Amino acid sequence: MKRQELIQRSISIITEYYKNNLEPFFDCLAEDVLWFGPRKDQILRGRETIIRTWRSVDQHPTFSMGNITEHSVSIGTNVLEVMLEYDVYTYFENGEVDRHHQRLHMSWGYRREQTDSGNRELIPRVYMIHISNIIEEEPAAPESGNAQNRSALPKVYAGSSSESHIDAAGTGYSGLSFRSVMGKGDNIITYIFNSATVLWIESTDNGRHSLIHALDGTYKSIEPLRYYESGFSGSLLRAHVSYLVNPLYVRSLKRFEITMTDGTILPVPEKKYTAFRDRLLNWKPEVPR
């Protein structure tokens, strides 16, 4: 299996994991795998130990993911270190949502194993896994003005730390559903963007590519704007031929412009202003069925 295939498999494994499909995760593990969790005492050794521990859990909460990036380095021809960074959201029955920014380190290596056909082949396995929650520095307090008014965070966010808390119940939209869309950067990085963290998207390079403006930065994607309009259907609205906006992050609307919560001002065509205003006023987040 080639390097890029292992990277894509790593992304697929963690994506399926947070959909509560654990089999791809179990299947990749070496028999003597070592697993480190984010807490001090979370250390497990052995594939069977991990499977037994995971299957002993009675309840599996609902998750979604967003903004996946990957970093990797090859050590020789048979070892690949893959580091993934992503946002993960945990949904609770009372409508609240917890957000964590995580790093996942997977150490891949090849071992010769006997296959079902009786042949011995080199099979890629994960020999070590380390999961950690990223702790970012708190932003400096502004010297003057109201910080809350200038924040890029929408009202459903209670704070801006790396482990933000989304009080979905307090917004009147209890049990929010967020869409995730996979996109590719121009530097061979695969991203997964979540509608909970995307503020707005703009078309670039004469409509061929896009810039995704998210809470944690701006990402260049080789996909056109129509790709994200389709993927985020129902979550983002087309305000202009060159812009998609997330209603969660719209601070104000007037003739003929939108002000986003990060302070960005985007145009709305005069002929389409009324229709867009009505769509915005009638928009509601998706609720899981």
Side-chain angles (χ1 to χ4, degrees):
M1 187 174 289
K2 297 180 181 179
R3 173 175 180 162
Q4 195 60 34
E5 291 174 342
L6 282 179
I7 293 171
Q8 293 300 321
R9 185 176 175 187
S10 301
I11 293 172
S12 176
I13 286 169
I14 193 60
T15 302
E16 291 299 313
Y17 178 92
Y18 280 118
K19 293 178 181 178
N20 285 323
N21 177 16
L22 305 182
E23 295 308 315
F25 169 63
F26 295 152
D27 290 344
C28 78
L29 301 178
E31 292 299 326
D32 55 350
V33 63
L34 188 59
W35 179 90
F36 294 90
R39 297 184 182 277
K40 181 179 180 180
D41 58 347
Q42 290 183 325
I43 303 175
L44 297 173
R45 180 180 288 278
R47 179 175 182 270
E48 293 303 319
T49 300
I50 292 175
I51 293 175
R52 185 170 58 252
T53 302
W54 262 247
R55 288 180 173 165
S56 67
V57 178
D58 294 330
Q59 296 182 348
H60 294 280
T62 302
F63 304 97
S64 69
M65 298 179 65
N67 301 344
I68 295 182
T69 59
E70 62 86 13
H71 311 273
S72 61
V73 60
S74 294
I75 303 176
T77 58
N78 293 326
V79 177
L80 179 66
E81 305 291 341
V82 178
M83 177 75 77
L84 303 180
E85 294 188 18
Y86 50 84
D87 294 322
V88 60
Y89 302 82
T90 307
Y91 300 86
F92 299 96
E93 293 182 356
N94 63 358
E96 294 183 351
V97 186
D98 277 345
R99 170 183 177 260
H100 296 272
H101 190 45
Q102 287 190 336
R103 282 195 180 113
L104 170 65
H105 180 191
M106 304 177 73
S107 296
W108 289 89
Y110 285 83
R111 176 173 292 178
R112 197 170 293 278
E113 300 179 6
Q114 186 168 334
T115 64
D116 294 339
S117 62
N119 299 324
R120 292 185 62 80
E121 299 178 4
L122 286 174
I123 306 296
R125 298 291 184 194
V126 174
Y127 289 89
M128 189 178 72
I129 298 175
H130 183 200
I131 300 175
S132 60
N133 292 328
I134 299 174
I135 301 176
E136 300 173 353
E137 294 184 5
E138 291 292 332
E143 296 180 1
S144 62
N146 189 324
Q148 184 176 1
N149 289 340
R150 291 201 304 273
S151 173
L153 301 171
K155 62 181 179 180
V156 295
Y157 282 80
S160 58
S161 66
S162 63
E163 297 185 2
S164 298
H165 180 70
I166 305 175
D167 183 9
T171 67
Y173 301 128
S174 180
L176 292 179
S177 177
F178 299 119
R179 288 177 177 262
S180 294
V181 176
M182 182 176 290
K184 293 182 179 180
D186 59 357
N187 47 3
I188 323 179
I189 292 180
T190 299
Y191 301 107
I192 293 185
F193 300 106
N194 191 288
S195 60
T197 63
V198 173
L199 284 73
W200 54 287
I201 304 177
E202 65 176 305
S203 178
T204 62
D205 301 328
N206 295 319
R208 298 192 306 273
H209 304 140
S210 302
L211 281 179
I212 291 82
H213 300 270
L215 286 176
D216 59 349
T218 298
Y219 301 86
K220 186 171 184 179
S221 169
I222 63 174
E223 282 86 9
L225 194 65
R226 63 178 180 275
Y227 170 84
Y228 291 103
E229 183 177 25
S230 175
F232 284 124
S233 175
S235 298
L236 273 63
L237 299 179
R238 171 83 75 158
H240 185 278
V241 67
S242 298
Y243 302 108
L244 295 173
V245 299
N246 188 338
L248 286 172
Y249 297 91
V250 173
R251 174 171 292 157
S252 64
L253 173 68
K254 67 178 183 179
R255 303 174 68 90
F256 299 98
E257 64 184 34
I258 305 165
T259 300
M260 306 300 293
T261 54
D262 66 348
T264 300
I265 297 176
L266 302 174
V268 180
E270 182 176 354
K271 293 182 179 180
K272 297 183 178 180
Y273 175 81
T274 301
F276 174 78
R277 180 199 60 192
D278 293 342
R279 292 202 310 275
L280 182 64
L281 291 177
N282 293 322
W283 179 87
K284 290 183 180 180
E286 296 178 277
V287 178
R289 296 181 179 179

